[in-house]
Amino acid sequence: MREQPPATDGELRAALAEANLPTLLLALAQLTGDDRWLREPYVPTAPRGAEDHDSGGLPEHVQTEVREQAFAIVDDWRAGRLDPAAPPTSDRLPGWLSLSLGSDQVIPAEIGGLLAEELGIAPRDITPLAPGAADDFRVLIIGSGFSGLCAAIKLEQANIPYVVLEKNDDLGGTWLENTYPGCGVDTPSHLYSFSFAQCPDWTRYFAKRDELHDYLERLADGYDVRANIRFGLEVASATWHADEARWHVQAQGSDGKPEEFVANAVISAVGFLNRPSLPDIPGIESFAGSTMHTARWDRDLDLAGRRVAVIGTGASAMQLVPAIVDEADHVTVFQRSPQWGLPNPNAMRDVSPATRTLMREVPFYLGWYRLRNVWNFGDRLHPALQIDPDWPHPDRAVNEVNDRHRRFLTDYIKSELGDREDLIPKCVPTYPPYGKRPLLDNGWFRTMRRADVTLVTDAVAAIEADGVITADGVRHLADVLVIATGFKALEVLGPIEVRGRSGRTLRETWGKDDARAHLGITVPDYPNFFFLLGPNTFAGHGGSAALSIEMEVRYVMRLLEQMLERGISSVECKQAVHEEYGARLDAALNQTIWAHPGMTTYYRNSAGRIVVPMPWTNYDYWHMTREPNLDHFSAETTVGAI
C-alpha cells in the first residue's frame, strides 16, 4: 500500500535467506507454472503448533537450492525475461495448500473457490455500473470502521452513490476508540486485512493499534472514500417510509444540531464491540482516583509509581496488564473466571525488513503467506469445537481433539507459571478450550507470577474512595481503577432506533439481547436494511473479521446490483425464510462448544441463546452468502410487487 523503491540484488538475496520456504515454494509454483516445486524433494514436513515453519523441515542443501533458484527466477521476472504463468485453477488450490502445510493437513476440495477469491485470482466484485446509472439511488452507511470502509470502497468502485455517517471525528471504529497500552489484534496482521488491499509492510506479525488505524486511514485515502464520510454525526434513528421506499435517517451533530438524510438502502456497519459494558458495582462512582474503561483510555495518564486495579481478564486486560506492569508500582487484577491463553511464536515478534521485502518483491509470496493463515487460523480448528455426544468426558472437553488441546494448553500455562504452583488453580480454566473467545498470550501468565502483580479471584463486592473491596472483606488499595469488562455485544445497534415497515422498532422485534437476522444480514419488516458483522456472523472458531466482512459486503452488493438492474425499489427477507434459517442456526449452535454449560460468556444472552458466533465454517458461510436468492425476499418495484 506504500510505494517503496525496488530492492537491490543484495537486498533480495538477503530477503530470500529469511524466506518461509513452504510459502516460497507455492509462490514459485504459481509464478513459473512448474509443478516440480510441489513434489519431492521440496515437500515440507508438518509444522509444530502455530509456528510458521520457515525451513519447511527440508534438508540444508535443499533449502539452499530453493533460495538460489528463487533468486534467479525472480530476477528473470523483474528483468522482463519471465512472464507469470496462468494462475492455478481453483480446484487445485486445496491440494497445493495442503501440501505446503504438511501431510497431516487435508483441506477439503470444495473450498477451492473461497481460496481463489482470497488469493485474488477469482473475482469477488460486481461489475461497475455505468457512470450516472444509479444517480437516483443512494446508500447510507452507519460507521467507518473496517466494515463501513469496505462497504464504502465497494460502492465507490461500483459507481453507486453513498454517504457514510460517523459519530467520531475520525474514521477507524474499534481501532480509533481503543488506545489502551498493548492494544492490538489477536489475528495475524497479514490475515487481518482485506484480500483486495493486502499489506506487505506490517511491522509486527500481530499488529498494534496505531498500525491498524494507519492501515484504515490509507484505505480511505487510497480508495478515495474519505470525501464521502460525514464525521461528528451520530445516527439516532432510521424510519422506513413505504410510500417512498426510502429510509429517513436522523442524526445529531457534535454541535447538537439535528440533520436528516434520505436513502434507498441503509448498511449498518457499527459492529458489536463499540459500546463499553460497565459493571454495576456498589460505590464505583465514589472512587477518588482516575477511573476509565479500556475503550475510553486516557493516553495522558501517567501510571508511574501508582497502584492500578484492573477489573476483568478478557482480551483487553490480557493485552493491557503486561504492557503497564513495568510502569505501575503494583497491579491488582480482579478475575471472575480464568481464560485459556494461546501461545504463538509470532505473538511479540517484529516482521523483519527482509521479510517485508519478500512480501513486496516476490510475486504471490504475500498472497500465499496470507492464504496459509486463512486455513491455519480458520476452518482448521472447526472440528475441535463440535460436540461429540459419545465423548466420555464432557465436563472437561467436547471431543477427543478438544481434549488434546486442553492438555497442551494446560501444560503450556503451567510452564509459564513456573514455580508459582499457587497460581495454577487460578489460571487454568475448568471449562473446555475455546468455550470462550480464544485469546493470544502476550505474556499474561508470566506477568501473573511477578511480585508486583496480585491476581484476585474473590468476587468484587464494592468500590470505595481508595480501593476495591472483595467478598472476603479484604480492601485492595488503588490509585487508578481500570474497567476491562468488554462491550455490550448483545445490544446490536445500541441506542439507534430503527423503525420498520410495520412501525415496530428493531428493539421491540428482538428484545434487549436476542438479535436475529437471516445470514446475519437481513431481517423481515426492515426492507433495504443490511447488517455487517451482525448477529451470529463472528467466526468464533477462528478466522479474520475481514473475511466475514468481504463475504457480507459482496452479498449486499449483489442484492443492490439486482435491485438496480431490475428496477426493484425494496427487498425484504421473507418471514418463513428467516425462521427456517434461525431454526437451522440454533440447532447447529447447540452442537458447538459455546453451548457447553461450564462457563459464562458474552456469546450467550440472558435466556442462554448463542447470539454472537456462527456455528459453521468460513467456507459454509461463503457458500451461503456467495449469491443472494431473490426468492428469499419480498421484492417490490415502484409499481408493485414482483
Side-chain angles (χ1 to χ4, degrees):
M1 295 198 40
R2 287 192 179 97
E3 289 295 327
Q4 297 281 351
T8 65
D9 286 355
E11 290 170 336
L12 180 58
R13 285 188 184 278
L16 287 167
E18 289 190 14
N20 174 267
L21 288 183
T23 301
L24 183 60
L25 289 164
L26 291 167
L28 292 176
Q30 182 174 350
L31 177 59
T32 64
D34 191 342
D35 282 359
R36 74 186 181 93
W37 298 111
L38 307 175
R39 299 193 298 267
E40 294 293 353
Y42 308 117
V43 177
T45 61
R48 294 175 297 179
E51 68 177 6
D52 275 350
H53 199 35
D54 287 339
S55 73
L58 301 176
E60 286 289 343
H61 71 279
V62 175
Q63 295 183 44
T64 300
E65 176 194 345
V66 172
R67 298 181 200 279
E68 288 178 350
Q69 293 200 42
F71 175 82
I73 291 169
V74 174
D75 187 53
D76 281 346
W77 171 77
R78 296 206 301 178
R81 296 186 295 267
L82 173 66
D83 292 328
T89 54
S90 61
D91 61 304
R92 302 181 70 193
L93 297 181
W96 283 30
L97 192 58
S98 180
L99 182 143
S100 81
L101 293 169
S103 58
D104 65 331
Q105 291 296 306
V106 178
I107 299 176
E110 61 266 20
I111 74 169
L114 168 60
L115 298 179
E117 289 182 4
E118 284 296 288
L119 195 58
I121 62 176
R124 187 172 270 166
D125 296 331
I126 69 170
T127 302
L129 279 66
D135 281 355
D136 295 330
F137 195 92
R138 177 168 290 268
V139 179
L140 184 144
I141 303 168
I142 308 173
S144 67
F146 251 91
S147 55
L149 286 178
C150 183
I153 289 167
K154 295 308 175 184
L155 288 165
E156 179 78 25
Q157 292 175 332
N159 294 321
I160 299 176
Y162 67 95
V163 64
V164 183
L165 302 188
E166 170 54 58
K167 66 180 178 6
N168 294 311
D169 293 329
D170 195 2
L171 59 84
T174 293
W175 301 115
L176 171 71
E177 297 175 353
N178 288 268
T179 62
Y180 60 84
C183 179
V185 72
D186 54 11
T187 301
S189 309
H190 298 94
L191 180 58
Y192 197 83
S193 50
F194 293 121
S195 65
F196 60 84
Q198 297 180 34
C199 177
D201 295 318
W202 294 112
T203 65
R204 295 179 62 95
Y205 284 97
F206 289 84
K208 295 302 182 183
R209 177 267 172 197
D210 289 354
E211 192 168 11
L212 292 160
H213 185 256
D214 182 57
Y215 173 76
L216 295 177
E217 293 270 14
R218 287 183 283 123
L219 275 181
D221 293 333
Y223 288 92
D224 295 324
V225 301
R226 189 185 292 272
N228 288 61
I229 305 175
R230 295 286 306 278
F231 293 106
L233 278 172
E234 183 166 12
V235 173
S237 67
T239 303
W240 176 252
H241 287 237
D243 56 334
E244 304 173 21
R246 286 178 172 83
W247 287 95
H248 286 235
V249 178
Q250 302 290 334
Q252 187 171 48
S254 53
D255 57 2
K257 293 182 179 178
E259 191 168 348
E260 181 175 90
F261 298 81
V262 178
N264 301 80
V266 173
I267 297 176
S268 167
V270 301
F272 62 96
L273 300 179
N274 61 4
R275 302 283 176 177
S277 176
L278 299 174
D280 184 15
I281 302 174
I284 192 169
E285 70 286 344
S286 67
F287 185 72
S290 300
T291 303
M292 72 194 78
H293 192 280
T294 50
R296 299 293 182 265
W297 191 263
D298 179 1
R299 294 187 110 173
D300 295 327
L301 179 65
D302 184 4
L303 297 179
R306 306 182 77 179
R307 298 165 296 184
V308 181
V310 179
I311 297 178
T313 54
S316 58
M318 288 190 79
Q319 293 180 344
L320 170 76
V321 174
I324 66 171
V325 69
D326 288 332
E327 181 182 2
D329 176 66
H330 193 96
V331 178
T332 304
V333 179
F334 297 88
Q335 173 181 277
R336 182 175 61 177
S337 61
Q339 300 276 11
W340 291 106
L342 308 183
N344 189 293
N346 288 335
M348 307 302 291
R349 281 183 65 200
D350 292 336
V351 182
S352 71
T355 296
R356 297 201 294 275
T357 296
L358 288 171
M359 299 290 184
R360 290 193 305 270
E361 300 279 344
V362 177
F364 315 121
Y365 185 92
L366 171 57
W368 279 108
Y369 182 83
R370 183 176 179 276
L371 203 64
R372 283 162 52 86
N373 283 329
V374 167
W375 175 256
N376 269 336
F377 290 87
D379 288 350
R380 176 184 181 183
L381 186 62
H382 189 263
L385 277 60
Q386 307 307 302
I387 295 173
D388 177 359
D390 298 323
W391 171 246
H393 307 291
D395 55 318
R396 70 186 194 208
V398 294
N399 57 46
E400 183 179 358
V401 175
N402 187 242
D403 198 46
R404 288 203 302 269
H405 288 198
R406 180 192 61 80
R407 293 195 301 270
F408 169 78
L409 292 173
T410 297
D411 290 344
Y412 168 74
I413 293 172
K414 289 180 177 179
S415 70
E416 290 291 288
L417 295 176
D419 60 359
R420 289 294 305 274
E421 294 187 4
D422 59 303
L423 289 174
I424 292 175
K426 292 183 176 182
C427 291
V428 177
T430 57
Y431 57 86
Y434 314 109
K436 295 186 180 184
R437 178 186 174 194
L439 303 176
L440 184 70
D441 180 24
N442 289 294
W444 172 264
F445 301 108
R446 294 187 181 190
T447 300
M448 291 303 101
R449 72 188 193 191
R450 291 175 53 140
D452 54 359
V453 174
T454 302
L455 179 61
V456 178
T457 56
D458 291 289
V460 173
I463 294 175
E464 297 185 350
D466 58 353
V468 179
I469 312 299
T470 45
D472 58 358
V474 175
R475 179 189 301 271
H476 305 268
L477 298 177
D479 308 304
V480 177
L481 179 63
V482 178
I483 309 300
T485 50
F487 299 86
K488 297 178 180 179
L490 301 181
E491 296 183 20
V492 180
L493 276 180
I496 301 175
E497 180 185 272
V498 180
R499 197 172 293 276
R501 184 186 297 275
S502 69
R504 284 170 56 87
T505 66
L506 262 176
R507 193 61 53 213
E508 291 170 329
T509 298
W510 285 341
K512 181 180 180 181
D513 60 2
D514 194 26
R516 292 176 176 269
H518 179 244
L519 300 173
I521 301 174
T522 61
V523 180
D525 198 40
Y526 302 89
N528 300 4
F529 198 102
F530 309 109
F531 298 90
L532 302 179
L533 296 183
N536 296 114
T537 59
F538 174 67
H541 66 285
S544 168
L547 173 58
S548 299
I549 291 166
E550 284 194 59
M551 290 189 285
E552 293 162 31
V553 168
R554 189 250 301 275
Y555 182 89
V556 173
M557 291 298 296
R558 293 201 171 170
L559 266 177
L560 296 178
E561 179 184 39
Q562 292 187 60
M563 291 176 67
L564 288 163
E565 286 180 348
R566 300 176 61 173
I568 296 172
S569 58
S570 70
V571 290
E572 178 183 344
C573 181
K574 294 178 179 177
Q575 186 68 37
V577 170
H578 183 266
E579 291 176 359
E580 188 275 335
Y581 175 80
R584 284 196 297 117
L585 176 79
D586 288 345
L589 285 166
N590 288 334
Q591 301 305 310
T592 67
I593 196 168
W594 306 301
H596 193 280
M599 70 277 173
T600 56
T601 169
Y602 72 85
Y603 288 176
R604 295 198 294 248
N605 67 12
S606 55
R609 194 182 83 81
I610 303 165
V611 180
V612 175
M614 69 173 178
W616 298 296
T617 65
N618 293 313
Y619 163 75
D620 291 329
Y621 192 62
W622 173 83
H623 183 72
M624 286 186 251
T625 57
R626 189 178 182 189
E627 193 66 55
N629 184 348
L630 269 184
D631 290 341
H632 291 168
F633 295 87
S634 298
E636 294 182 350
T637 68
T638 54
V639 295
I642 62 171

